[in-house]
Amino acid sequence: MRRLDLKRSLYKIFIVLIVVGFLFAVLERVGAMDPIKGPVQQVTIPIQIGLFQVRNNISNFFQTLTEVGDLRNKNLQLEEENALLKAENQKLKELSKENQALREQIGASIEGKQGLLVAKTIGFSPIVSKKLLIIDKGKLEGVEKGMVVVVRNIFIGRIYEVSPHSSSIQLVSDPDTKIAAITDKNIRGIVSGQFGAEIELREVVQGKSLNPGDLVFTIGGSDIPRGLVIGEIKEVKKVERELFQRATVKPLIEQDKLSNIFILIDK
Amino acid sequence: MTNVLLVLIASFLGLIQTVVLPINFALLLILILVSANRIQAGLVVTIAGSFFLSIFTNINFGILLISFSLSLIIYLIIRKYTPDRVIFRYTTFVSVLIIWEILFQFSNRVFESFL
């Protein structure tokens, strides 16, 4: 009899907690929880940074151990690629100078209206089906929902949730991400995340020729600058009877192991 | 003193969930406490766990509290209809840990549509 009462009261307690939770959810939405969360985050964020770095170091150590056999071949390949890129870089520098001179001549505005805010990664979202990365900069440092996150000219994602001293980035690999994209051969499509950290280029018309190794860029719009690199095509999935073809896109950097990222903020 | 210790444990579990492994350790502890009829301790970890997870991950504290409570209601319902054996208890724990994420997404969607 007593056990039955206890169970009934347990149900009641959890229902009360649901109602209380709803009130707190509304309070947090209007920013009423910030005075509590802010000071606590100031204490916890340095701990998170430290722990996340330790975790990354351990993970890198074990990854290096497993990959040591391939490293020699990879090194030779990279040296060769490096030489080619140096030559290409020199050519691009010359073109950039020429471009700058032309812009000055016609009085066009130069890209870079936006400033960059550096942030450190401090953890992952506990929601397995979402691909979110947590960083140590938030509302009080000027971060806003929807801001674009990059590393050099590589698109990482957009700010998804903001706290006083911390934010979450919705990575390109998140299943809810949908971005208009274009390849280096001017083929348009939609990039979206898949379950399990994969990225896919979809809705590409069948006649267009997608090839592994093609780079995929942002097309611009929805506050995302044009020309940010999303990744390179790894595998093309073409089914003749389907209207569109698809391709798996591999990010140029491992998003799980990023330690510093840059947020594009309005100056 | 015990409650302070529980709060510290809940914060630590939230931290390792976001840094090391995305398993809801706090919810697992709550399930263990509730199954052992340590109700007060379970409630302390429910509230502290939701709060610290919200601090570490920027997720809305209220939504976390709702999803934890819903998970525990589901747990109580499952336990009511399953035999009181160790194997069933562990299976229920794993099921609730998986269901938690669905409940979280559900609570979040309902809240967003309400607003």
Side-chain angles (χ1 to χ4, degrees):
Chain A
M1 190 66 187
R2 199 169 159 242
R3 179 167 272 197
L4 199 70
D5 286 347
L6 185 72
K7 276 192 175 171
R8 271 187 195 154
S9 60
L10 258 181
Y11 282 114
K12 278 180 195 165
I13 290 168
F14 291 129
I15 288 165
V16 169
L17 276 184
I18 291 171
V19 177
V20 172
F22 181 79
L23 291 175
F24 271 106
V26 175
L27 282 177
E28 184 152 352
R29 183 50 69 89
V30 295
M33 292 284 284
D34 288 357
I36 302 166
K37 279 184 123 181
V40 180
Q41 279 183 336
Q42 273 183 323
V43 178
T44 57
I45 282 171
I47 303 169
Q48 279 182 276
I49 293 173
L51 266 177
F52 197 66
Q53 275 171 355
V54 170
R55 176 235 180 235
N56 276 352
N57 290 343
I58 294 171
S59 157
N60 285 341
F61 173 74
F62 283 108
Q63 201 178 353
T64 311
L65 280 184
T66 54
E67 286 174 351
V68 84
D70 294 333
L71 284 177
R72 197 182 147 79
N73 290 337
K74 225 174 197 174
N75 192 31
L76 285 171
Q77 197 185 335
L78 284 173
E79 272 177 11
E80 199 178 314
E81 265 178 36
N82 194 25
L84 289 171
L85 285 171
K86 269 184 187 168
E88 200 175 331
N89 194 23
Q90 191 53 39
K91 198 174 157 189
L92 284 172
K93 270 183 188 168
E94 281 165 25
L95 282 171
S96 174
K97 270 185 201 167
E98 200 179 307
N99 190 18
Q100 178 83 15
L102 281 170
R103 276 177 186 276
E104 279 167 15
Q105 250 179 356
I106 60 169
S109 63
I110 300 168
E111 269 185 302
K113 266 184 183 175
Q114 290 165 310
L116 291 174
L117 179 69
V118 189
K120 278 186 164 52
T121 52
I122 57 171
F124 298 106
S125 168
I127 316 297
V128 183
S129 59
K130 298 282 293 172
K131 288 285 164 194
L132 304 176
L133 195 61
I134 302 156
I135 52 166
D136 71 334
K137 294 285 186 295
K139 216 182 280 178
L140 297 177
E141 286 86 17
V143 181
E144 285 169 22
K145 207 172 170 177
M147 281 179 166
V148 174
V149 180
V150 295
V151 170
R152 286 177 178 260
N153 66 333
I154 298 170
F155 181 74
I156 302 297
R158 300 183 79 164
I159 299 292
Y160 182 71
E161 266 167 328
V162 191
S163 278
H165 291 290
S166 171
S167 317
S168 307
I169 305 166
Q170 184 178 37
L171 297 173
V172 190
S173 50
D174 184 273
D176 291 333
T177 297
K178 275 176 186 58
I179 308 162
I182 190 164
T183 70
D184 49 6
K185 286 171 188 153
N186 272 336
I187 300 168
R188 287 168 184 249
I190 304 282
V191 160
S192 67
Q194 302 292 305
F195 288 102
E198 271 206 349
I199 307 172
E200 210 171 58
L201 179 66
R202 301 158 79 176
E203 294 180 30
V204 178
V205 185
Q206 280 288 5
K208 307 279 182 185
S209 147
L210 287 175
N211 296 305
D214 287 357
L215 286 175
V216 181
F217 300 92
T218 55
I219 214 165
S222 311
D223 293 334
I224 301 175
R226 186 186 170 89
L228 294 175
V229 184
I230 296 171
E232 66 173 356
I233 292 179
K234 194 174 139 197
E235 191 192 348
V236 182
K237 297 168 183 169
K238 205 170 182 176
V239 181
E240 290 298 330
R241 62 177 183 276
E242 282 183 7
L243 191 59
F244 297 110
Q245 54 178 322
R246 293 175 293 148
T248 312
V249 177
K250 188 184 165 204
L252 292 188
I253 44 176
E254 276 187 77
Q255 297 181 333
D256 289 5
K257 296 208 171 111
L258 288 171
S259 52
N260 289 305
I261 53 90
F262 299 86
I263 306 162
L264 297 182
I265 54 164
D266 297 324
K267 268 184 178 171
Chain B
M1 184 62 194
T2 318
N3 287 348
V4 174
L5 193 66
L6 284 169
V7 170
L8 286 175
I9 291 171
S11 68
F12 177 72
L13 293 177
L15 197 58
I16 57 169
Q17 186 184 350
T18 55
V19 175
V20 185
L21 207 62
I23 293 173
N24 200 333
F25 296 105
L27 182 58
L28 186 62
L29 178 63
I30 300 164
L31 292 172
I32 292 167
L33 289 170
V34 170
S35 72
N37 283 332
R38 296 195 56 187
I39 311 302
Q40 195 199 336
L43 285 174
V44 170
V45 180
T46 305
I47 296 164
S50 312
F51 178 73
F52 281 105
L53 205 54
S54 158
I55 292 288
F56 297 139
T57 63
N58 311 311
I59 296 173
N60 191 313
F61 166 61
I63 304 288
L64 279 171
L65 196 57
I66 292 171
S67 64
F68 274 40
S69 307
L70 283 173
S71 306
L72 288 161
I73 290 174
I74 298 278
Y75 168 73
L76 292 174
I77 293 169
I78 295 176
R79 246 189 71 178
K80 194 175 168 185
Y81 295 104
T82 48
D84 193 18
R85 284 189 199 157
V86 180
I87 182 79
F88 285 108
R89 200 176 296 167
Y90 290 150
T91 316
T92 314
F93 284 177
V94 175
S95 314
V96 173
L97 285 176
I98 296 166
I99 291 168
W100 169 74
E101 186 157 333
I102 299 163
L103 291 172
F104 172 81
Q105 302 274 22
F106 169 75
S107 316
N108 202 22
R109 294 232 160 112
V110 170
F111 181 68
E112 293 296 332
S113 60
F114 174 80
L115 286 184

